[in-house]
Amino acid sequence: MSSSRGGSIFGIAKMGPMEERIDLDSEEEIPFTSSPNGSKVHPLDFEKVCSASRRGSVNSWIHKQSRISPLRSIYLVLMTAKINILLPFGPLAILLHYLTRNHVLVFFLSMLGITPLAERLGYATEQLAFFTGPTIGGLLNATFGNATELIISIYALKNGMIRIVQQSLLGSILSNMLLVLGCSFFTGGIVHYNKVQEFNQATASVNSGLLLMAVMGIMFPAVLHFTHTEVHAGKSELALSRFSSCIMLVAYASYIFFQLKHQSSLPNPNRDVDEEGVTEEGSEEEESAEITQWEAIGWLAVLTLSVSVLSGYLVDAIEGASDALNIPVAFISVILLPIVGNAAEHASAIMFAVKDKLDITIGVAIGSSTQISMFMIPFCVVVGWLMGKSMDLNFQLFETATLFIAVIVVTFMLQEGKSNYLKGLMLILCYLIVAASFFVHVDPSTDDD
C-alpha cells in the first residue's frame, strides 16, 4: 500500500476486531454500508450522506413551519371540511330571528348552523392535542366534544328551562349509547362482514360501571319523589340531588386521576393507530399539526363563542317551534337537539369502526355518555345551585326508566367484547323505539319551563 499523500487517500473501516486502512488505489473490494434511507453508500461518503440527511430534515421542518400561516389557518378551518357548507345557516338564523320571528325556521337553521361549528370545535381540539400530548389531548377531546351540549344546557338553565336541560342531557346520553354506537357497530360489521370485530372488554366494563352509578344517582331522587317518602316535601329531593351530584363529580375526578396516573397499566385505545403508523423501514409515520398552538387556542375561543351565540337563538325558538309543528318539547329536547351536538362524535365513531378500531369507537361513544352522565349533569346541578335555580336529578319517571333500560341493554351488548352488524342494528332499533316513545310522550311537569 502506498504512503504517498497524492496517490492515495486513507480511510478507516472496521473488519471484525481489527481496524485496517483502505487504499482507494487498490483493487480490493471495499465493504459498503447503509445510509439512513436504506441505500448502499461507500464508507467514505457515509458522513456526507448523514450531513445531507440532517440538512434535509431541517429544511423539511422549516418548510412545514413556513406553510403554517394565519391565512392558511382560516382556509383549513373554514374551507376544507365539506360540512362547512352549512355555516351560512347560522347568520341566516340570526337574521330571520329579527326579521320574521318564525320560530320554526330559526330553530332548524340554528341547528344546521351549529352542526359544522361542533365539528370544527373537535378539529381545533385535535390540533391542540399535538402540542399538549396524548393524555391531555384525550381529555380536551372529551371535554370540547360535549361543549355544545354544555353551552346549550347552561343557557337554558339561565332562562329557567330546567326540563329542557334535563331532557337534552338525557337525549345526549341515549343518542351516544344507542344511535352512535349502533351505527358504528352496524357499519363496521357490514364492512368487515367476514370477521368478528373485537374491542377491549375491560375498558368498556369501567364505562358501563360509571353509567350504572349515574343511573343510581338519577334514580333515587325520582323514586323519593314518586313514592312521596320525603322528609321535607319539595326540599329533600333537591338536597339529595345536590349531595349526589357532588359525589358523582368526585367519582368522575377520581376516574380522570386514575387515567392520568395509571395510563400505562390501562389498555391503550390508540395502540392500533401506533402500530399501523410504522413503515416498512420500522420508522414511525410522523403526523404534524396543521395549525399552530395559539391558532388552535384562538379557534377554540372563536368557535365556542359562535356556538354560544347560536345556542341562545336555538333555545329561544324551541317552544315556538314545538307549538307551530305540534311536536312535544320532550321530543325536540331528547331527540333533535342531541343530533346537533353529537354530529362530530357520530362521524368519527363510524370512521374508526370502518377502520376496525373499535376501542376508539367505544371511547368516543360510551366515553362521551359517561362524561355527560357523571360530569355534565351533576355540574349543571351545581351551577343551578349557584344560580339559585332548583335544578335537581329528578328526571321524572318516564325519562329515568328509559335511561335505566338503555344502560342495561348497552351493558349486555358490551359484556362479550365483540361486535357485529346484528348488535348494531338492535341498538339502532332500540333508539327508534325510544324516539317514538318521546314523540307520543307529554311531559307532566311544565311548571319549571
Side-chain angles (χ1 to χ4, degrees), residues 69-184:
S69 64
L71 289 179
R72 184 172 182 272
S73 170
I74 295 174
Y75 171 77
L76 287 172
V77 175
L78 299 182
M79 299 295 182
T80 53
K82 295 180 180 179
I83 198 173
N84 285 347
I85 196 174
L86 301 177
L87 282 175
F89 288 112
L92 183 59
I94 298 175
L95 184 64
L96 290 178
H97 172 80
Y98 293 104
L99 294 181
T100 65
R101 296 287 180 175
N102 189 322
H103 295 292
V104 176
L105 285 178
V106 172
F107 175 76
F108 283 104
L109 291 179
S110 298
M111 285 182 58
L112 293 175
I114 288 178
T115 302
L117 293 176
E119 192 277 334
R120 291 289 85 186
L121 202 60
Y123 170 79
T125 308
E126 291 174 0
Q127 293 301 306
L128 185 60
F130 282 106
F131 304 97
T132 60
T135 302
I136 303 298
L139 294 177
L140 288 174
N141 266 316
T143 302
F144 281 96
N146 294 319
T148 305
E149 294 96 325
L150 184 61
I151 292 171
I152 293 175
S153 300
I154 292 178
Y155 186 89
L157 187 61
K158 182 181 178 182
N159 290 348
M161 301 177 178
I162 295 176
R163 289 296 293 157
I164 290 179
V165 175
Q166 293 175 332
Q167 291 170 342
S168 63
L169 292 177
L170 172 71
S172 295
I173 299 174
L174 296 174
S175 175
N176 278 296
M177 286 195 308
L178 298 178
L179 183 61
V180 175
L181 188 63
C183 289
S184 301

Side-chain angles (χ1 to χ4, degrees), residues 94-290:
I94 298 175
L95 184 64
L96 290 178
H97 172 80
Y98 293 104
L99 294 181
T100 65
R101 296 287 180 175
N102 189 322
H103 295 292
V104 176
L105 285 178
V106 172
F107 175 76
F108 283 104
L109 291 179
S110 298
M111 285 182 58
L112 293 175
I114 288 178
T115 302
L117 293 176
E119 192 277 334
R120 291 289 85 186
L121 202 60
Y123 170 79
T125 308
E126 291 174 0
Q127 293 301 306
L128 185 60
F130 282 106
F131 304 97
T132 60
T135 302
I136 303 298
L139 294 177
L140 288 174
N141 266 316
T143 302
F144 281 96
N146 294 319
T148 305
E149 294 96 325
L150 184 61
I151 292 171
I152 293 175
S153 300
I154 292 178
Y155 186 89
L157 187 61
K158 182 181 178 182
N159 290 348
M161 301 177 178
I162 295 176
R163 289 296 293 157
I164 290 179
V165 175
Q166 293 175 332
Q167 291 170 342
S168 63
L169 292 177
L170 172 71
S172 295
I173 299 174
L174 296 174
S175 175
N176 278 296
M177 286 195 308
L178 298 178
L179 183 61
V180 175
L181 188 63
C183 289
S184 301
F185 280 3
F186 181 77
T187 308
I190 293 295
V191 173
H192 302 279
Y193 66 92
N194 56 346
K195 62 175 291 188
V196 177
Q197 291 186 295
E198 298 182 354
F199 52 87
N200 190 279
Q201 188 176 357
T203 304
S205 298
V206 171
N207 285 283
S208 298
L210 289 172
L211 286 172
L212 287 172
M213 181 180 177
V215 169
M216 184 178 67
I218 293 174
M219 178 179 292
F220 285 154
V223 173
L224 189 67
H225 174 79
F226 287 99
T227 55
H228 304 288
T229 56
E230 302 173 88
V231 175
H232 301 287
K235 296 181 180 180
S236 295
E237 65 179 271
L238 182 60
L240 176 62
S241 297
R242 290 170 176 173
F243 176 79
S244 299
S245 297
C246 294
I247 296 298
M248 291 163 69
L249 289 175
V250 171
Y252 186 75
S254 303
Y255 168 68
I256 295 299
F257 178 81
F258 183 79
Q259 276 193 318
L260 293 175
K261 294 298 181 181
H262 303 277
Q263 190 182 21
S264 59
S265 63
L266 292 176
N268 182 11
N270 296 323
R271 188 172 297 144
D272 295 337
V273 180
D274 296 338
E275 290 176 355
E276 292 188 5
V278 178
T279 59
E280 293 180 357
E281 290 83 4
S283 61
E284 189 176 325
E285 284 186 359
E286 182 181 355
E287 290 187 9
S288 59
E290 296 180 347

